[in-house]
Amino acid sequence: EAQVTQNPRYLITVTGKKLTVTCSQNMNHEYMSWYRQDPGLGLRQIYYSMNVEVTDKGDVPEGYKVSRKEKRNFPLILESPSPNQTSLYFCASSPIRLAGLPNSYEQYFGPGTRLTVT
Amino acid sequence: GENVEQHPSTLSVQEGDSAVIKCTYSDSASNYFPWYKQELGKGPQLIIDIRSNVGEKKDQRIAVTLNKTAKHFSLHITETQPEDSAVYFCAAHGNILTGGGNKLTFGTGTQLKVEL
């Protein structure tokens, strides 16, 4: 089954304790991205990756790190979590498509990770 | 960068009525506009999309319209059913050929409630 998986689904941690949220996709997609979802703010992009070893900042990258050593995996790292990083996090993937082709840029989302930092 | 505004933030309709959600975008070069549905406890899922060279697209009870001149697009759901209750997000995709990157910018979401 084609899917994006995230682990853990729920995490409660304390300020300053490093954590990693894993993301894996089995669709051989080049593009992967992390979003955070907060009430009234919608989905905001944290980091994205166009391919292995190619990552770039999204709209809200402060306090986060990512890596893309393999095509299927795109972990999100919080080196020193703070309470303002309490949020619902989503990983997504999509194939890279060129403009002009009659295809969509559909992104496939994981089930989400609910993070609470106290 | 791109800015997407979405209205209303909440919408309550009676079963069988129609629902309309509206979005505006700022970057005239954006060329792809998807709509995602997020059910409780799940990730968003694509329900319909439209490219900039098309004015309207329909898929059963769901339709999307795009006005490039005014830079706004809308989601129309007819004959609403209780299972349509969810959060809906609009988004705009940058134009790779003009440097917009492979990036989706999302609206802030609309909580749709279909009441019996």
Side-chain angles (χ1 to χ4, degrees), chain A residues 3-67:
Chain A
Q3 60 182 351
V4 178
T5 57
Q6 295 179 227
N7 282 292
R9 293 291 313 279
Y10 302 90
L11 180 58
I12 300 174
T13 191
V14 297
T15 298
K17 185 176 181 181
K18 181 179 179 180
L19 66 92
T20 299
V21 183
T22 64
C23 173
S24 183
Q25 51 95 3
N26 62 2
M27 295 169 279
N28 202 37
H29 287 165
E30 295 86 0
Y31 181 90
M32 297 186 75
S33 179
W34 276 102
Y35 297 89
R36 61 177 289 173
Q37 183 178 1
D38 301 290
L41 298 177
L43 291 155
R44 294 180 293 167
Q45 190 178 51
I46 303 170
Y47 269 94
Y48 66 96
S49 170
M50 301 285 276
N51 214 324
V52 175
E53 302 293 358
V54 180
T55 63
D56 209 345
K57 296 177 180 178
D59 298 318
V60 288
E62 294 77 20
Y64 304 94
K65 286 175 57 177
V66 293
S67 69

Side-chain angles (χ1 to χ4, degrees), chain A residues 31 37 45 59 103-104 107, chain B residues 36 38 49 51 102-103:
Chain A
Y31 181 90
Q37 183 178 1
Q45 190 178 51
D59 298 318
N103 294 315
S104 76
Q107 292 196 12
Chain B
Y36 283 79
Q38 185 182 23
D49 55 16
R51 296 184 68 90
N102 198 45
K103 175 181 168 62

